[in-house]
Amino acid sequence: FARKDFFRRPWRLAAQILRLRRERFDVVIEAGHWHAFSLTAALLARVVAPRIVVGHDRGPARAFFDVAVAQPPGVEHDVSVKLALAEAIGVPPAGVELETPLGGDRPSLAEAAAMLEVAGLTPGRRMLLVNPGARKLDRRWPPAAYAAVAARLAARFDLAPVVLWGPGEEALAGEVVQRIGHGACLAPRTDLRQLAATLRLGALLITNDTGPMHLAVAVGTPTVAIFLAGDHRRWGHP
């Protein structure tokens, strides 16, 4: 549900809902944060017209969900919390490690390597990936700190620093590149598949607590995450 797009072009959401209703789903799982009820998410889950809607029991959830799953009693990793929604309808967990095939095919990896070469990476160099951005500003470690750590690691382990960025973060990433100095380069603009492939090519990622952190873990990139505001017990990874 893209809120801004909905107010500009509401007919797109209407068409999407009609497409989903034609699928005649048996089950919809509303997997939003267990501690905060979302009326928007609950309504969307319902109007898709599945036989069963599953979600966490919070707020007026029982008015919308056929299966309302109890909240965790304490702080628990969010992967386990999400798996509890499936367990409630008889689907046993098959492990808690994140995984995705995204960006793992040879064409995607070759494309990412070529894009990095155009961006200035010497072919064959091992990459130190740095992700200084985050949607929430209070989760951003300072650019100077990222640059200092990246410069030291790059020199010690003979790594080429490549600074990643997302929409609206190019200036921030550029500042980190400038502060690192010689040998650092700005990553090319990527879509999600290209980002996944780029992460697969990295020797190490240093990142804030944000989306690319989870994607890096899912593709198997060694990852060091900096937690400033979020709870690492819920959102971190082993």
Side-chain angles (χ1 to χ4, degrees):
F1 176 66
R3 191 180 304 274
K4 290 181 180 178
D5 187 63
F6 169 70
F7 287 112
R8 293 171 186 160
R9 293 173 284 267
W11 59 88
R12 286 189 178 182
L13 179 63
Q16 183 182 13
I17 288 173
L18 288 174
R19 287 195 300 272
L20 291 171
R21 287 175 69 95
R22 285 196 292 268
E23 295 288 342
R24 301 182 69 177
F25 289 110
D26 292 308
V27 180
V28 165
I29 298 178
E30 193 277 277
H33 295 328
W34 56 264
H35 58 275
F37 179 77
S38 168
L39 179 60
T40 303
L43 287 172
L44 288 171
R46 199 77 260 178
V47 300
V48 170
R51 292 170 56 200
I52 296 173
V53 178
V54 181
H56 280 294
D57 189 3
R58 76 273 198 219
R62 291 172 183 257
F64 296 89
F65 303 155
D66 302 292
V67 180
V69 181
Q71 299 181 16
V75 178
E76 192 172 333
H77 197 277
D78 226 57
V79 170
S80 298
V81 174
K82 296 292 189 285
L83 288 175
L85 295 172
E87 285 188 83
I89 54 173
V91 182
V96 297
E97 292 185 2
L98 302 190
E99 58 184 24
T100 177
L102 192 66
D105 56 285
R106 288 187 179 182
S108 293
L109 293 170
E111 179 186 4
M115 292 169 64
L116 288 163
E117 187 174 348
V118 170
L121 180 69
T122 302
R125 287 293 307 279
R126 293 197 309 153
M127 284 191 298
L128 168 63
L129 298 171
V130 181
N131 182 52
R135 181 174 60 86
K136 297 182 178 180
L137 297 182
D138 63 350
R139 300 191 181 192
R140 291 185 178 183
W141 207 33
Y146 266 113
V149 168
R152 288 173 62 184
L153 288 174
R156 182 174 177 181
F157 297 106
D158 190 26
L159 301 171
V162 175
V163 183
L164 305 171
W165 54 281
E169 298 173 347
E170 190 170 6
L172 170 65
E175 180 184 348
V176 177
V177 170
Q178 187 176 23
R179 286 177 177 271
I180 295 173
H182 178 71
C185 69
L186 187 67
R189 182 188 301 273
T190 62
D191 59 22
L192 194 61
R193 176 186 58 82
Q194 293 164 336
L195 175 60
T198 300
L199 291 169
R200 290 178 185 275
L201 298 175
L204 175 68
L205 170 70
I206 307 174
T207 177
N208 293 314
D209 169 26
T210 187
M213 173 189 73
H214 303 296
L215 183 59
V217 171
V219 302
T221 305
T223 300
V224 176
I226 310 297
F227 277 76
L228 299 177
D231 191 334
H232 69 90
R233 295 171 297 174
R234 283 191 63 193
W235 304 107
H237 299 281

